Amino acid sequence: MPLYPLRFEPLLRRYIWGGRRLATLLGKSLPAGEDFAESWELVDYHDTQSVVRFGPLQGLSLRELCQRYAEKVLGTDRESDRFPLLFKFIDAQHDLSLQVHPNDQAAAALNPPERGKTEAWIVLHADPGSRLYAGLQPGVDRQRLETELSRGNVQECLQCFCPQAGECFLIEAGVVHAIGAGLVLAEIQQASDTTFRLHDWNRVCADGQPRALQIEQALQVIDFEAAPVVAQEPISVAEVEGVERLLECDKFILDRCNFQGQQRVGGDGQFHLVVVLQGQVMVDSDPSQLPLQMGQTCLIPAGLGPSQLAADGPVTLLDIYLP
């Protein structure tokens, strides 16, 4: 079966902190309700599976694709037949919980073993005064954090700042963080959903009960020596006009492309995840024959070769791949 640019059905997640801006800002089709928090665009995580939307492979899950066509989808330099990344959009109508994710070593010791979770955020929209909590104040150690948690004063331990649309932040495993109300983000992460909650702002669910916390597990995986979290400085990619490197770490590379006309993606033996943030493009050999629009994603398999993107107007997109 020859592969082609692959589109998948988004998977919607509803949480108490969500809203409706996945529809109003990103064009997602949402049913009734005011708590749509996340749209998982590409995921291979246990039973949570993206499913191909168009073409001869329609109906296959991402896991099935990777198992049947591992080299063609993932490339030859791969650790397993599982897709290693997860991409989602997030609408934070209210503050998310204060949480932390384990690194690969700590996650491998869990039962059952998991991947760690390093992630990166690209800010798509920020209401005035919206805040991110990311990292601990200098000098905060485990004892101080435990003390302030017990007193209900955990905010005093946290780094907090107001992000701007277009900024990118790397949140490495072990870094305490929370997304504040009024933000819409794109998030790329390792394919894991292992989260330990430290604090949930004393909020309760619809049944009147607070959400579960995992304070002891969280304290065990926090990196108390982590470097401060700051906005990444974009770097121009000299060999490709209009492309800037937002982020490069050991888990993924994130480029932002601004162009009009033609642009090539892929052809380097790696898969590429294309995410449109502004405008629309036609993707060569896409069986849907529909433009890839704002808030939509497309996976270029590793074995496909370079794919031609064509835009009639200005386009901004993300190109995500492995290092």
Side-chain angles (χ1 to χ4, degrees):
M1 172 66 68
L3 291 180
Y4 52 87
L6 297 163
R7 300 206 205 185
F8 296 85
E9 295 282 355
L11 300 172
L12 298 174
R13 291 288 182 267
R14 303 179 74 162
Y15 302 120
I16 57 176
W17 45 264
R20 291 201 60 85
R21 286 180 297 188
L22 296 175
T24 58
L25 293 182
L26 295 174
K28 300 295 179 185
S29 178
L30 302 181
E34 302 296 328
D35 59 351
F36 291 93
E38 300 180 349
S39 178
W40 290 24
E41 301 289 309
L42 190 66
V43 54
D44 171 8
Y45 182 71
H46 299 311
D47 292 336
T48 305
Q49 292 289 319
S50 295
V51 174
V52 178
R53 190 173 181 183
F54 300 107
L57 299 172
Q58 181 177 357
L60 282 184
S61 70
L62 183 54
R63 173 70 56 81
E64 291 171 318
L65 280 172
C66 291
Q67 290 176 340
R68 294 188 190 184
Y69 312 108
E71 184 173 327
K72 290 184 177 181
V73 174
L74 299 170
T76 56
D77 186 17
R78 64 184 192 277
E79 294 183 359
S80 71
D81 293 345
R82 289 177 54 197
F83 199 80
L85 302 178
L86 189 162
F87 180 81
K88 66 177 71 166
F89 293 110
I90 298 173
D91 173 15
Q93 191 70 25
H94 307 281
D95 291 343
L96 275 68
S97 62
L98 184 66
Q99 56 192 240
V100 65
H101 309 299
N103 60 22
D104 287 335
Q105 182 178 3
L110 297 174
N111 186 20
E114 288 283 359
R115 280 193 177 106
K117 188 179 175 184
T118 285
E119 61 192 46
W121 302 328
I122 303 91
V123 180
L124 305 182
H125 170 84
D127 287 348
S130 297
R131 296 174 294 178
L132 286 175
Y133 300 92
L136 299 172
Q137 292 282 355
V140 172
D141 58 12
R142 175 167 176 158
Q143 182 178 357
R144 168 80 188 284
L145 183 59
E146 286 186 275
T147 299
E148 299 304 336
L149 278 167
S150 66
R151 292 174 176 172
N153 296 327
V154 69
Q155 293 94 321
E156 296 184 6
C157 297
L158 306 175
Q159 296 274 13
C160 177
F161 48 89
C162 296
Q164 302 297 315
E167 289 184 324
C168 175
F169 298 90
L170 174 63
I171 308 297
E172 297 193 80
V175 172
V176 176
H177 62 276
I179 299 169
L183 294 170
V184 178
L185 308 178
E187 179 179 291
I188 183 66
Q189 58 166 86
Q190 292 177 266
S192 171
D193 199 32
T194 305
T195 298
F196 300 133
R197 293 194 196 103
L198 273 168
H199 183 65
D200 199 30
W201 317 113
N202 304 315
R203 142 177 74 195
V204 297
C205 297
D207 60 2
Q209 298 299 311
R211 290 200 297 174
L213 301 179
Q214 300 86 31
I215 295 176
E216 184 57 35
Q217 296 98 313
L219 290 169
Q220 291 177 5
V221 302
I222 291 173
D223 181 0
F224 288 95
E225 304 299 325
V229 175
V230 296
Q232 299 290 306
E233 188 69 30
I235 300 173
S236 295
V237 178
E239 59 270 24
V240 186
E241 184 178 356
V243 177
E244 55 185 1
R245 179 72 37 86
L246 291 182
L247 173 64
E248 181 172 359
C249 67
D250 64 334
K251 307 304 181 187
F252 42 76
I253 295 174
L254 178 57
D255 291 343
R256 181 165 55 201
C257 310
N258 295 283
F259 69 97
Q260 184 171 341
Q262 306 288 323
Q263 182 81 292
R264 281 189 167 190
V265 173
D268 55 359
Q270 298 222 55
F271 68 79
H272 286 253
L273 176 60
V274 175
V275 183
V276 178
L277 301 183
Q278 177 184 344
Q280 62 181 30
V281 297
M282 295 298 297
V283 183
D284 186 41
S285 301
D286 179 0
S288 75
Q289 298 185 338
L290 296 171
L292 192 68
Q293 299 177 327
M294 181 180 66
Q296 296 181 343
T297 62
C298 179
L299 180 65
I300 308 298
L304 183 60
S307 288
Q308 192 79 13
L309 310 181
D312 291 336
V315 168
T316 300
L317 58 81
L318 301 176
D319 179 14
I320 303 168
Y321 50 101
L322 297 181

